[in-house]
Amino acid sequence: MSNGKYGLLCASLLMCLPLCAQQVQVRGKVIDRQTGEPLAEAVVFARDSNRIYTVTDGEGRYTLLLRRDTWTLVSSSVGFYRKEITFRAERDTTVDFALDMSTQLEEVEVSARATDRNISSVQMGMEKLNATEIRRMPALMGEVDVLKAIQLLPGVQTASEGGSGFSVRGGTPDQNLILIDNTTIYNASHLLGFFSVFNSDVLGGVSLYKGDLPLRHGGRLSSLLDVQTRTARPDRLSVTGGIGLISSRMTAEAPLGEKTSWMVGGRRSYADLFLKLSSNEALRRSSVYFYDLNAKVTHRLTDSDRLELNGYYGSDRFGATMGQFHYGNGAASLLWQHVFSETLYARTGLHLASYDYGLESKLENAKASWVSGIRDWSLRFDVGQPLNDRWNLDYGASLTLHRFNPGVVAMEGYGGLRKEAGTAMEYSLYASNEQKLSEHLTVRYGLRGTLFQNIGRATVPQYGREYEIVDTATYGAGKVYYTHTAVEPRAGLVWKLTDASSVKMNYTHNVQFIQLANNSSSGSPLDIWFSAGPNIHPQHVDLYSTGYFRNFGGNVWEASVEVYYKHLTHVIDFAEHATLLMNPNLDGEVRTGTGRAYGVEWVLRRNTGALTGFLNYTLSRSERTIPEINGGKTYPAPYDRTHALNAVANYAFSEKWNVSATWVYATGNPTTYPSGRFEISGEYFPIYSGRNEYRRPDYHRLDLSLGFVPHPRPGKRLQSEWNLSLYNAYGKKNPWMITYDQNADTGVPYAEMLYLFGVVPSITYNFKF
């Protein structure tokens, strides 16, 4: 290096020294005063500056750079009272916060958003809901539902009327990864989709990532729904519950010594109890109900070590004289968190996820049954290392054993038919970093690598050009017969234009190795999970997005517009009239091709005050091009909806009275209609249109809710609330299913629409003591 260059470098360093000398580093931790538990996503900001703030990580830790001066830092978190600490910043120092939990039935609304987190964060396409927001929304049959709330967010559509399935930016429901305490839930519905598996009383928070998944997670194309149960440790026994027309729930939590706490929550519907009162014998012998149970035990080994045991089990039962049907989820996890230092912490987790269903028919002289399901065993290791503004590292590894049971059919006296269970291993490594390059520019980048292997015992068919079986290959137990590697880069940046506005850009590549066999837009518990393999390549997506974000009125109002484009390869669909159930050669019904989805999402949100809520509008398209379907012509994807508008408003008249309203509008789903007919020997047969060439009628619905708190005093031991809801308040007959038939005499075809709900009133009593 020349002397001139050395001189320039030295001069630059000397110019930086005064600036560096004026700043000190302030670190700290935000905890729950009563329990000592760290508070993630708590806000820490300087009282007299709207430019100095941060949000705590998963261990409740934060870091700020401040000039040498006297400062007042403020910390706040939803469900806790805010706290201020004044100190003199002369050198690098530590400032910790211990927050007091609110004693009210509804958590205190502390506006974490008021520190313009949406402006400064690199994350795009991410939506967060807390338990308070979810409880205030009108509910179907009085049952507060996480998934119904998620369906109101921009870019998210309901899969069917009243259902809990959802589509994100034109994707299919199986392209959504749903987690509870970091463990997969494969079917998140109760009662065929009318309710979700999530009990609102045990929830801590809900985050939806629309494509830009955190690098520690993968395996899905469209989204991640991350549901976390509460971690706060109570100082005494506390019981929360609710009694509704369809179901009731109760949750209890308490400390167990000085270092341990527990929580148990359960729900059960009781429509079957009313059937017992019927005068009809067949109804008296029928049953329709669901139940679920959540449990959590937390134990602090040392100041640096914490163990957490989580469990969930839920089941749906349907019974009649002719047979029975059941399905259910199980999820369990054991987590160990260890803090090595202020800048290094790790989490190790062992997870078990299972989903199964079964059918049993009872005929006069025969008895038949069918069972199917999927089970995962996973081991995860995640590390966080927030060194400074330039190096905020996350890295880790995971491995998952998938066990697929496509189906076992048994008939009394005839033995059984079993399709070979499939086994697959999935190994992943990831690393990411977030850098604040200047006061205006922050970037995040990372890489995820995955190795996916199919393992015998298996018999794999080989298909010809017309998908006829031309040969088979047999593999012994433990034999790896297919391996696929995938690299998933993800990158993003945020450029702060002003203190109240920013521009963001993002690129994400996601890969999906397992998918759902389903040819119905409404979904079914009988759908089958199956993996990629020699005949089916993993699905890939490249997501490009950019957005403009702007806050108004001291961050009371948030506005944003996001534009996205998705290009999909090896996207799957199924052949015309495909046989999916009890099919030993399911991969022969799969057709693959390319797809694209693109759209614009506008959002306006008000976060604080007596009136809160949001308004969002999405303009989008989702298309597929598969050579063997629709003559190779591009056709709308099953969940393509051009227009979607959601409006949610909550207004608190006083501490006693509050009202909520939700209005939803969406273009009808694409569908395939009969467009003609032909006759053979007096029999008429339909001729169908191109794939998804028509649309169902547009969907719209108004929901209303009224809440009443009789005694809103915070110190009262027994707290209660009454909630009255109207689902579909103006009685719109939205189609759930459209069937086609023909007149037996004339052969003239006709269509019939089946709708599920008119006006559905409900009343719920909630309590806490």
Side-chain angles (χ1 to χ4, degrees):
M1 184 181 290
S2 65
N3 291 337
K5 291 182 178 179
Y6 274 118
L8 181 60
L9 176 61
C10 292
S12 300
L13 292 173
L14 289 172
M15 292 174 65
C16 291
L17 284 176
L19 179 61
C20 296
Q22 293 175 6
Q23 288 189 320
V24 298
Q25 191 173 72
V26 178
R27 298 178 181 272
K29 190 172 184 180
V30 181
I31 64 171
D32 181 338
R33 178 188 295 278
Q34 295 177 338
T35 68
E37 298 293 322
L39 297 179
E41 295 290 328
V43 179
V44 179
F45 61 97
R47 188 178 63 185
D48 298 324
S49 173
N50 60 3
R51 300 182 61 183
I52 300 176
Y53 61 89
T54 188
V55 177
T56 60
D57 59 22
E59 294 299 317
R61 299 178 183 276
Y62 75 93
T63 302
L64 286 172
L65 287 177
L66 302 176
R67 69 177 185 275
R68 298 177 185 272
D69 202 346
T70 299
W71 293 91
T72 297
L73 291 185
V74 183
S75 180
S76 64
S77 181
V78 174
F80 293 82
Y81 296 111
R82 67 172 56 197
K83 183 175 181 179
E84 299 183 358
I85 296 179
T86 302
F87 66 101
R88 179 73 182 176
E90 293 289 352
R91 61 183 65 85
D92 291 353
T93 188
T94 299
V95 178
D96 294 327
F97 291 87
L99 304 186
D100 293 308
M101 182 182 293
S102 165
T103 58
Q104 298 180 25
L105 179 63
E106 294 287 343
E107 294 97 330
V108 172
E109 283 287 347
V110 180
S111 180
R113 299 177 183 270
T115 59
D116 70 2
R117 172 71 171 168
N118 64 311
I119 300 296
S120 61
S121 172
V122 182
Q123 187 74 53
M124 280 191 69
M126 195 266 277
E127 308 284 345
K128 294 182 74 69
L129 291 172
N130 59 53
T132 301
E133 291 176 294
I134 296 170
R135 290 191 190 110
R136 286 181 177 175
M137 294 180 183
L140 173 62
M141 300 181 189
E143 186 66 31
V144 175
D145 195 326
V146 170
L147 297 186
K148 296 292 193 302
I150 289 295
Q151 293 168 2
L152 299 172
L153 298 177
V156 183
Q157 298 290 335
T158 177
S160 64
E161 164 72 359
S164 56
F166 61 97
S167 164
V168 176
R169 291 179 170 176
T172 54
D174 66 325
Q175 294 175 359
N176 306 317
L177 177 61
I178 302 177
L179 303 177
I180 182 169
D181 292 323
N182 297 309
T183 305
T184 304
I185 294 292
Y186 279 102
N187 187 329
S189 71
H190 279 312
L191 287 185
L192 305 178
F194 297 133
F195 303 103
S196 80
V197 299
F198 302 112
N199 182 347
S200 62
D201 286 343
V202 304
L203 294 184
V206 179
S207 300
L208 177 69
Y209 300 84
K210 297 181 291 187
D212 183 18
L213 279 61
L215 271 164
R216 64 182 178 273
H217 295 295
R220 297 295 189 276
L221 299 186
S222 292
S223 77
L224 162 67
L225 179 62
D226 187 9
V227 178
Q228 297 291 328
T229 57
R230 294 207 309 266
T231 59
R233 181 175 180 270
D235 60 347
R236 57 175 174 79
L237 175 64
S238 175
V239 177
T240 305
I243 302 172
L245 299 179
I246 300 297
S247 65
S248 292
R249 66 190 190 279
M250 182 174 291
T251 299
E253 55 185 336
L256 187 64
E258 296 183 355
K259 296 185 176 182
T260 307
S261 63
W262 59 268
M263 178 178 68
V264 176
R267 293 187 299 172
R268 193 192 190 280
S269 65
Y270 30 73
D272 58 311
L273 302 181
F274 294 106
L275 294 178
K276 305 298 183 185
L277 305 177
S278 172
S279 58
N280 186 292
E281 182 179 356
L283 288 178
R284 289 201 305 272
R285 299 176 62 181
S286 300
S287 62
V288 179
Y289 68 93
F290 75 83
Y291 66 89
D292 57 33
L293 181 70
N294 292 85
K296 178 191 286 283
V297 177
T298 304
H299 178 70
R300 182 166 291 280
L301 298 170
T302 68
D303 290 341
S304 301
D305 295 272
R306 187 179 71 172
L307 285 177
E308 186 177 291
L309 178 63
N310 299 287
Y312 168 84
Y313 182 76
S315 183
D316 287 68
R317 303 279 171 169
F318 304 85
T321 55
M322 297 293 291
Q324 298 180 0
F325 166 50
H326 69 86
Y327 69 94
N329 291 275
S333 62
L334 177 62
L335 304 176
W336 170 40
Q337 300 180 60
H338 177 70
V339 179
F340 295 94
S341 68
E342 292 184 346
T343 58
L344 181 64
Y345 49 86
R347 172 182 289 188
T348 304
L350 182 63
H351 305 266
L352 170 64
S354 68
Y355 173 70
D356 63 84
Y357 62 83
L359 283 171
E360 183 178 296
S361 64
K362 301 175 183 178
L363 303 178
E364 185 175 349
N365 299 316
K367 180 179 179 181
S369 64
W370 173 35
V371 295
S372 181
I374 181 174
R375 181 165 295 180
D376 291 349
W377 292 265
S378 302
L379 179 65
R380 298 188 55 88
F381 180 66
D382 302 295
V383 179
Q385 198 168 6
L387 298 175
N388 50 47
D389 283 349
R390 293 297 181 95
W391 296 100
N392 191 350
L393 301 171
D394 290 292
Y395 49 91
S398 66
L399 62 90
T400 301
L401 170 64
H402 301 285
R403 185 71 171 172
F404 304 91
N405 177 15
V408 178
V409 181
M411 293 189 67
E412 196 173 65
Y414 293 92
L417 171 65
R418 172 187 289 271
K419 186 181 185 304
E420 289 179 332
T423 302
M425 287 294 300
E426 190 173 341
Y427 310 86
S428 297
L429 294 170
Y430 75 91
S432 68
N433 183 37
E434 184 170 318
Q435 287 185 292
K436 187 174 183 180
L437 300 179
S438 70
E439 288 297 318
H440 295 282
L441 179 62
T442 302
V443 298
R444 188 191 67 235
Y445 50 88
L447 201 64
R448 178 182 177 88
T450 302
L451 175 70
F452 186 86
Q453 294 181 321
N454 294 99
I455 303 172
R457 172 177 300 118
T459 300
V460 181
Q462 298 175 13
Y463 297 97
R465 296 185 62 180
E466 301 298 324
Y467 290 90
E468 76 280 8
I469 297 176
V470 297
D471 200 357
T472 58
T474 302
Y475 303 93
K479 175 68 175 179
V480 176
Y481 63 89
Y482 174 79
T483 299
H484 185 90
T485 57
V487 178
E488 303 172 62
R490 299 172 193 173
L493 64 85
V494 56
W495 179 269
K496 290 192 67 176
L497 302 173
T498 66
D499 289 344
S501 65
S502 67
V503 173
K504 302 182 186 183
M505 301 181 68
N506 177 264
Y507 167 74
T508 298
H509 183 82
N510 295 332
V511 182
Q512 182 162 337
F513 297 96
I514 64 174
Q515 47 269 317
L516 202 58
N518 173 23
N519 56 11
S520 168
S521 63
S522 59
S524 164
L526 302 181
D527 297 337
I528 299 172
W529 288 92
F530 64 103
S531 71
N535 296 314
I536 304 173
H537 292 291
Q539 301 179 79
H540 293 247
V541 65
D542 293 287
L543 169 65
Y544 308 86
S545 56
T546 186
Y548 174 70
F549 299 79
R550 179 74 164 88
N551 287 2
F552 303 90
N555 298 320
V556 172
W557 293 89
E558 294 178 7
S560 66
V561 56
E562 291 190 40
V563 181
Y564 68 88
Y565 179 85
K566 297 164 64 174
H567 176 72
L568 300 97
T569 55
H570 303 302
V571 64
I572 71 168
D573 208 332
F574 296 93
E576 300 289 350
H577 313 297
T579 301
L580 302 183
L581 300 181
M582 302 187 191
N583 186 347
N585 300 307
L586 183 62
D587 48 2
E589 303 285 1
V590 175
R591 306 293 184 263
T592 61
T594 61
R596 65 173 183 171
Y598 51 93
V600 186
E601 299 168 357
W602 286 271
V603 180
L604 179 65
R605 177 189 292 267
R606 180 179 170 88
N607 299 308
T608 60
L611 175 65
T612 60
F614 56 81
L615 174 70
N616 61 65
Y617 169 70
T618 303
L619 174 66
S620 64
R621 292 302 305 270
S622 180
E623 302 169 334
R624 293 177 179 174
T625 306
I626 297 177
E628 297 88 355
I629 296 177
N630 204 43
K633 298 178 182 178
T634 299
Y635 62 94
Y639 299 98
D640 171 58
R641 286 185 163 179
T642 308
H643 304 282
L645 177 66
N646 299 305
V648 176
N650 306 302
Y651 187 78
F653 290 100
S654 65
E655 291 184 340
K656 288 189 174 185
W657 293 94
N658 64 82
V659 295
S660 298
T662 298
W663 190 72
V664 178
Y665 169 84
T667 304
N669 277 346
T671 189
T672 303
Y673 285 159
S675 57
R677 58 177 178 155
F678 63 93
E679 178 187 356
I680 299 178
S681 301
E683 292 287 333
Y684 290 92
F685 300 89
I687 300 174
Y688 285 91
S689 66
R691 178 71 68 96
N692 293 340
E693 187 175 337
Y694 294 93
R695 288 187 180 274
R696 292 183 176 185
D698 290 354
Y699 180 96
H700 55 91
R701 188 189 79 240
L702 173 68
D703 302 333
L704 301 172
S705 176
L706 174 66
F708 173 64
V709 181
H711 306 287
R713 296 192 299 273
K716 188 176 177 60
R717 186 72 175 95
L718 174 62
Q719 302 161 46
S720 61
E721 178 189 34
W722 289 93
N723 182 273
L724 176 65
S725 290
L726 276 180
Y727 181 88
N728 195 16
Y730 52 75
K732 175 67 168 62
K733 296 179 180 179
N734 291 299
W736 183 66
M737 182 181 298
I738 298 177
T739 59
Y740 309 95
D741 206 340
Q742 59 186 11
N743 187 286
D745 298 324
T746 65
V748 176
Y750 62 91
E752 288 184 333
M753 183 188 78
L754 174 64
Y755 71 94
L756 293 179
F757 303 113
V759 180
V760 183
S762 62
I763 186 169
T764 304
Y765 174 71
N766 300 310
F767 59 87
K768 179 179 180 180
F769 59 86

